[in-house]
Amino acid sequence: EPEVTQTPSHQVTQMGQEVILRCVPISNHLYFYWYRQILGQKVEFLVSFYNNEISEKSEIFDDQFSVERPDGSNFTLKIRSTKLEDSAMYFCASSLYISTDTQYFGPGTRLTVL
Amino acid sequence: SQKIEQNSEALNIQEGKTATLTCNYTNYSPAYLQWYRQDPGRGPVFLLLIRENEKEKRKERLKVTFDTTLKQSLFHITASQPADSATYLCALDLSGYALNFGKGTSLLVTP
């Protein structure tokens, strides 16, 4: 069964450094998402992406964040200058149609900012 | 503001019993509602989607109801098994492009 994959599974970085989190969505899916989950809190929406542009973003997704689909398979989330409060699990998801369709989540990248 | 409330207390039940989890929402008129399962350190896994014009939906041992008047969804697992132990998340569409998740309810099924 096709699945969303994410790399790395765990990323440790120093405050102020840039990180890139990578995702390979399910191959025929058209919509891509990033969510995050701070330890003990709920899963929070960051951004959705369709047709090579952002379709929606939350208040969390400020100028420090960017997304890109550099080729036909990868979908990346970049945090330019990490803060301590960026420490969280970051989940990539994809869906065939808009969010009225099932979203399939990857296993997550645990980001630790020191 | 839009809110989703799930029982924050863990639900402990005995194997073989039916587990019932509740999701209440306010300031919402969702077109659909989804339930996901999340295991520790893992991503959410989709279970069921129910639309506003559907009262009930079933999938194997799972059943979801959706009452748009009460603004509530109930999620049932019948004949529960220890493998059903996990956190169950309710999610509503924010805008057509995003899901808004509840905090989830932890379910523990003991043999």
Side-chain angles (χ1 to χ4, degrees):
Chain A
E1 186 173 321
E3 56 184 25
V4 176
T5 59
Q6 290 186 242
T7 54
S9 57
H10 192 186
Q11 174 92 46
V12 181
T13 190
Q14 295 290 326
M15 190 169 56
Q17 295 296 304
E18 174 184 288
V19 294
I20 298 176
L21 310 183
R22 292 183 165 79
C23 168
V24 179
I26 294 173
S27 61
N28 64 334
H29 283 188
L30 302 176
Y31 294 83
F32 314 112
Y33 314 86
W34 284 101
Y35 292 81
R36 79 171 185 191
Q37 186 174 32
I38 295 170
L39 190 63
Q41 298 188 22
K42 69 173 190 173
V43 177
E44 299 175 289
F45 169 74
L46 293 178
V47 66
S48 59
F49 192 84
Y50 169 71
N51 200 25
N52 280 321
E53 59 182 28
I54 291 173
S55 44
E56 183 104 19
K57 60 183 181 179
S58 72
E59 291 176 355
I60 303 168
F61 194 87
D62 61 22
D63 292 343
Q64 293 299 311
F65 292 89
S66 63
V67 289
E68 194 178 32
R69 188 151 161 85
D71 53 44
S73 58
N74 291 285
F75 180 49
T76 62
L77 174 70
K78 182 193 290 186
I79 309 176
R80 287 191 184 81
S81 178
T82 50
K83 306 183 189 73
L84 295 176
E85 54 265 36
D86 293 328
S87 295
M89 279 287 278
Y90 287 80
F91 296 110
C92 173
S94 69
S95 64
L96 183 54
Y97 305 113
I98 62 173
S99 66
T100 48
D101 192 16
T102 302
Q103 292 189 21
Y104 292 86
F105 284 75
T109 293
R110 179 170 298 284
L111 177 64
T112 302
V113 182
L114 303 176
Chain B
S1 63
Q2 298 163 328
K3 285 187 180 176
I4 301 172
E5 292 180 358
Q6 295 186 254
N7 194 340
S8 57
E9 286 187 22
L11 180 63
N12 293 339
I13 64 166
Q14 204 168 15
E15 183 175 8
K17 302 290 186 185
T18 295
T20 299
L21 287 69
T22 305
C23 175
N24 294 297
Y25 57 92
T26 56
N27 299 321
Y28 252 118
S29 293
Y32 63 93
L33 183 147
Q34 300 188 30
W35 283 89
Y36 286 77
R37 169 185 173 140
Q38 187 175 28
D39 291 284
R42 306 292 294 171
V45 175
F46 171 77
L47 296 174
L48 280 169
L49 180 152
I50 186 165
R51 302 189 189 280
E52 60 177 340
N53 61 347
E54 297 174 317
K55 296 290 186 193
E56 181 180 297
K57 202 141 188 198
R58 292 174 186 261
K59 179 182 173 183
E60 298 172 352
R61 295 185 295 110
L62 309 180
K63 184 178 87 170
V64 172
T65 63
F66 193 13
D67 189 326
T68 54
T69 302
L70 290 178
K71 295 189 182 295
Q72 180 181 79
S73 175
L74 299 179
F75 177 79
H76 307 271
I77 305 175
T78 58
S80 58
Q81 304 165 0
D84 296 326
S85 299
T87 297
Y88 290 87
L89 312 177
C90 167
L92 299 173
D93 66 299
L94 271 175
S95 60
Y97 292 104
L99 289 177
N100 187 12
F101 283 89
K103 281 198 73 173
T105 298
S106 175
L107 173 66
L108 179 63
V109 181
T110 52

